[in-house]
Amino acid sequence: MLAGKRITLIIGGGIAAYKSLDLIRQLRRAGAQVTPVLTRAGAEFVTPLSVAALAEAQVFQDLFDLKDETEMGHIQLSRTSDLLVVAPATANMMARMVAGLADDLASTLLLATDKPVMIAPAMNVRMWQHPATQRNLAQLRADGVQVVGPNVGDMACGEHGPGRMAEPAEIVAAIAAHFGPRPLAGRRVLVTSGPTHEPIDPVRYIANRSSGAQGTAIAAALRDLGAEVAFVTGPASVPAPEAVQVVRVETAREMLKAALGALPAEVAVCAAAVADWRVAQEFTQKVKKTTQGIPLLEFSENPDILATLSTHEQRPRLVIGFAAETEEVIAHATAKRARKGCDWIVANDVSPATGIMGGAENAVHLITESGVESWPRLPKGEVAQRLAQRIAEAIA
Ligand code: C5P
């Protein structure tokens, strides 16, 4: 996949540095040649010896290592690769890149290079969300730096939220996407994601639980294979992916309108957790506790977006639905595939014990015309990549 590609991998300081060892392994397995650069902070988390052993290459650490300078100057080192990857990229490293500092080997290489740069940020959620880091992120993007992740999930520091470094397989996929081939180039796909909110009155709503993480990862994976992605999302808790066409909606009816508005598309992936019912008569004023007693809500059925797309005159060639079940997952999902008229169903068990809902991993079954395929439990990003790959093969 990456045969002959030369990657300079800068390993920053942070607990995610341990994942960089696996990243090196996966890059090597994909055929890439890895030149590792270990920052001083990075070396607090992984040893130069383990990095060198996995990369099967010399580790560069110090700007003033004269032996390296005589053999290969830092300017040359910054330009002998096809891509520079910073993983993990700490908040500090991002700030230094934005400022154009060159006070150690890694920052000097990043300033001196004429090659593309990709970063995989990893940091505490508060550090990631801090306006300074978000400003730096925007500036790095404006400077042409590609960004992979971070993912949402539990962090080593005990907090939960965005800040986990993308998984090595996701970084490898982003690198592969950078170099191509892009089997979905020129193909338009629709992805629905997140929950819908159905108003009861101006302040209350009913909704399904959904972080939007899996739908977001699928949109990103399809984009990485070159697809033009229309991403119709309800109010999700994870940010929408970069470089896709985002349409934000609240209700199922809005989602249907946006989904139909995104046609024609060759593929539709309906990953949204759409509320099945809405309150038949939305109250125009906030329902007061005291005056009217406990309100009785009457529901009416929401449109089924997946079923509508499956029977639409502009039906995408491949329509994929999801089935979140808490029991008899495969039986229910197989019945759902027939009922909705879609081509594939991605089914998963979302009973609380699995930790899948809102979590970083997913264990899915792919139900197609030819049967059931059970995939191992994988990070949501990897589930998305596998699915995107299957989609690319199906519509090739
Ligand atoms: O019927 P159920 O909600 O279990 O089906 C789940 C699948 O159908 C998902 O793919 C979901 O995105 C889709 N769906 C939809 N519109 C609805 C309800 C579900 O597109 N109103």
Side-chain angles (χ1 to χ4, degrees):
M1 187 165 60
L2 294 172
K5 298 291 181 231
R6 297 163 306 169
I7 312 282
T8 294
L9 176 65
I10 296 172
I11 303 174
I15 184 63
Y18 82 91
K19 288 200 221 169
S20 301
L21 295 178
D22 190 29
L23 175 61
I24 296 173
R25 210 171 48 78
Q26 293 197 29
L27 285 170
R28 295 287 296 141
R29 208 189 289 156
Q33 183 187 315
V34 179
T35 302
V37 174
L38 191 56
T39 66
R40 184 173 302 179
E44 299 288 336
F45 294 91
V46 291
T47 69
L49 195 58
S50 46
V51 172
L54 286 166
E56 299 172 89
Q58 181 185 354
V59 183
F60 294 91
Q61 287 184 268
D62 195 345
L63 186 56
F64 299 106
D65 185 335
L66 287 179
K67 183 167 160 293
D68 296 341
E69 279 295 313
T70 51
E71 282 175 4
M72 186 195 280
H74 60 268
I75 301 293
Q76 193 190 343
L77 181 58
S78 77
R79 298 182 186 174
T80 45
S81 63
D82 301 306
L83 177 71
L84 274 71
V85 178
V86 188
T90 60
N92 181 51
M93 174 71 89
M94 289 170 61
R96 286 161 63 225
M97 286 171 77
V98 167
L101 297 187
D103 56 359
D104 67 358
L105 179 59
S107 55
T108 304
L109 295 181
L110 288 162
L111 195 63
T113 190
D114 58 357
K115 295 297 186 301
V117 175
M118 183 183 285
I119 63 171
M123 65 198 71
N124 168 272
V125 55
R126 290 290 161 98
M127 293 171 78
W128 173 251
Q129 288 169 338
H130 195 284
T133 303
Q134 291 301 310
R135 268 197 312 275
N136 291 337
L137 177 68
Q139 186 58 56
L140 287 170
R141 285 205 168 108
D143 292 346
V145 171
Q146 299 174 61
V147 183
V148 196
N151 291 346
V152 176
D154 292 329
M155 312 198 42
C157 53
E159 288 185 59
H160 183 90
R164 275 170 66 99
M165 187 169 87
E167 295 302 320
E170 292 173 79
I171 301 173
V172 173
I175 294 171
H178 168 79
F179 290 116
R182 295 158 71 80
L184 291 176
R187 322 297 281 267
R188 186 170 164 79
V189 305
L190 160 68
V191 178
T192 71
S193 183
T196 63
H197 285 182
E198 310 296 333
I200 296 171
D201 65 18
V203 297
R204 303 183 179 93
Y205 60 83
I206 55 169
N208 282 358
R209 285 188 206 280
S210 170
S211 63
Q214 187 64 80
T216 299
I218 290 168
L222 290 164
R223 173 207 61 200
D224 285 347
L225 294 187
E228 181 198 325
V229 180
F231 184 68
V232 178
T233 179
S237 52
V238 303
E242 291 297 314
V244 302
Q245 180 197 334
V246 183
V247 186
R248 293 180 200 283
V249 298
E250 289 268 334
T251 67
R253 282 174 297 171
E254 289 167 7
M255 186 173 274
L256 175 67
K257 195 164 166 237
L260 294 178
L263 297 180
E266 284 189 67
V267 181
V269 182
C270 292
V274 184
D276 291 313
W277 311 286
R278 66 176 180 277
V279 176
Q281 203 62 52
E282 181 187 339
F283 293 87
T284 52
Q285 302 297 331
K286 183 181 174 189
V287 180
K288 305 303 285 179
K289 265 196 294 201
T290 45
T291 53
Q292 293 148 317
I294 298 173
L296 274 180
L297 299 180
E298 205 178 303
F299 290 97
S300 49
E301 202 168 339
N302 266 333
D304 191 314
I305 299 155
L306 176 62
T308 307
L309 288 170
S310 297
T311 52
H312 197 266
E313 57 176 11
Q314 281 185 294
R315 184 193 199 277
R317 264 172 72 192
L318 184 62
V319 180
I320 304 170
F322 275 69
E325 304 289 347
T326 55
E327 56 178 359
E328 298 197 53
V329 177
I330 291 173
H332 283 155
T334 306
K336 188 165 294 179
R337 178 176 170 275
R339 199 169 60 241
K340 304 261 190 178
C342 59
D343 301 295
W344 299 353
I345 285 273
V346 181
N348 60 0
D349 184 345
V350 291
S351 35
T354 63
I356 282 172
M357 203 139 56
E361 292 183 334
N362 207 350
V364 308
H365 310 276
L366 181 66
I367 295 163
T368 68
E369 193 187 15
S370 42
V372 181
E373 236 178 70
S374 297
W375 294 358
R377 192 177 170 112
L378 293 166
K380 286 181 176 170
E382 283 182 51
V383 171
Q385 282 159 14
R386 273 196 183 211
L387 186 65
Q389 200 58 49
R390 289 295 293 267
I391 290 171
E393 287 161 16
I395 66 159

